[in-house]
């Protein structure tokens, strides 16, 4: 009986049992995801693999489908997504959405001028160029709005810049009303560098914004 064990051992056993049941077991399909995106979905900024942890489940499922049908063109991810059943896609999306948001920024603060320009674009945009603020769609501090507007913080500058380029070149599609493709085509290389460097230097936070009938992202 538990009462026959020393108090420290009983407490430890209870903690182990609780943590075993409290932590969601990764689905089998997540084993191949972890090789690039990290054991906790935290991403690998140095290798340009994005974080998945805490992204909205609806967004993750949608992107896996886009990789499978070619709306997002990436040879590695297409090969990973195409064999997945609809059920497996939903399972993976729910699992990664349930993981805790990383607490560390994906990059270091850039030089002052770049940081200032990037912060301005993220918060206010550049109306003269027809570029809205990033936070207008992706919510204050870039935490994202389920399901179509993902978090921006917690991703590396290179990954974010690569996505802007993909929108510009048409190798990434599927955004609501073509918003990101339109915005991306109006962004200069300098502004892309500034805003992505700024976003990567921000510590990610859990999203608290949700649409009616949807849960907020983690």
């Amino acid at each position: 009986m538990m009462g026959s064990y020393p108090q420290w051992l009983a407490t430890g056993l209870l903690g182990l049992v609780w943590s075993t049941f409290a932590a969601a077991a990764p689905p089998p399909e997540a084993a191949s995801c972890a090789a690039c995106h990290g054991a906790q979905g935290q991403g690998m900024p140095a290798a340009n693999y994005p974080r998945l942890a805490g992204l909205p489940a609806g967004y993750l499922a949608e992107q896996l489908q886009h990789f499978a049908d070619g709306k997002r063109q990436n040879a590695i991810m297409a090969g990973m997504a195409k064999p997945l059943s609809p059920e497996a896609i939903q399972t993976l999306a729910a699992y990664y959405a349930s993981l805790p948001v990383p607490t560390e920024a994906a990059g270091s603060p850039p030089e002052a001028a770049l940081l200032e320009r990037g912060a301005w674009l993220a918060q206010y945009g550049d109306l003269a160029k027809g570029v809205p603020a990033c936070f207008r769609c992706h919510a204050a501090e870039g935490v994202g709005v389920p399901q179509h507007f993902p978090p921006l913080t917690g991703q590396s500058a290179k990954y974010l810049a690569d996505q802007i380029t993909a929108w510009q070149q048409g190798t990434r599609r599927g955004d609501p009303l073509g918003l990101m493709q339109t915005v991306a085509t109006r962004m200069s290389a300098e502004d892309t560098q500034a805003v992505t460097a700024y976003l990567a230097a921000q510590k990610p936070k859990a999203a608290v914004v949700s649409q009616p009938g949807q849960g907020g992202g983690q």
Side-chain angles (χ1 to χ4, degrees):
M1 307 301 293
M2 188 65 71
S4 63
Y5 291 100
Q7 181 64 36
W8 64 268
L9 181 57
T11 302
L13 287 171
L14 285 171
L16 178 61
V17 171
W18 170 249
S19 63
T20 299
F21 284 98
E29 298 87 351
S32 32
C33 304
C36 294
H37 297 282
Q40 293 299 311
Q42 73 275 20
M44 298 184 183
N48 203 28
Y49 295 121
R51 76 148 164 129
L52 305 179
L55 271 63
Y59 172 78
L60 290 169
E62 184 179 67
Q63 297 312 303
L64 282 171
Q65 189 58 53
H66 287 345
F67 282 122
D69 63 24
K71 287 182 180 177
R72 285 188 71 172
Q73 297 176 26
N74 180 288
I76 295 175
M77 280 305 304
M80 300 292 290
K82 284 180 180 179
L84 295 174
S85 67
E87 294 76 17
I89 286 177
Q90 294 299 325
T91 298
L92 278 170
Y95 168 69
Y96 280 106
S98 73
L99 294 178
V101 174
T103 57
E104 297 299 321
S108 301
E111 62 176 13
L114 205 62
L115 187 66
E116 182 179 5
R117 177 59 177 167
W120 185 272
L121 288 168
Q123 296 173 39
Y124 306 111
D126 189 332
L127 297 183
K129 296 180 179 179
V131 176
C134 301
F135 295 167
R136 181 174 180 182
C137 291
H138 294 270
E141 300 184 84
V143 298
V145 180
Q147 83 179 29
H148 299 295
F149 301 101
L152 300 177
T153 52
Q155 305 290 18
S156 72
K158 178 167 173 46
Y159 174 76
L160 293 171
D162 284 351
Q163 300 317 299
I164 292 174
T165 299
W167 292 116
Q168 292 171 337
Q169 296 178 346
T171 55
R172 180 172 180 177
R173 296 175 290 114
D175 53 323
L177 304 177
L179 290 173
M180 266 309 305
Q181 190 166 27
T182 299
V183 172
T185 56
R186 298 171 179 172
M187 293 185 65
S188 66
E190 293 77 15
D191 282 349
T192 296
Q193 180 188 14
V195 76
T196 57
Y198 167 76
L199 290 168
Q202 308 309 303
K203 290 187 177 182
K205 297 181 179 180
V208 295
V209 180
S210 62
Q211 297 174 1
Q214 294 182 343
Q218 294 296 313

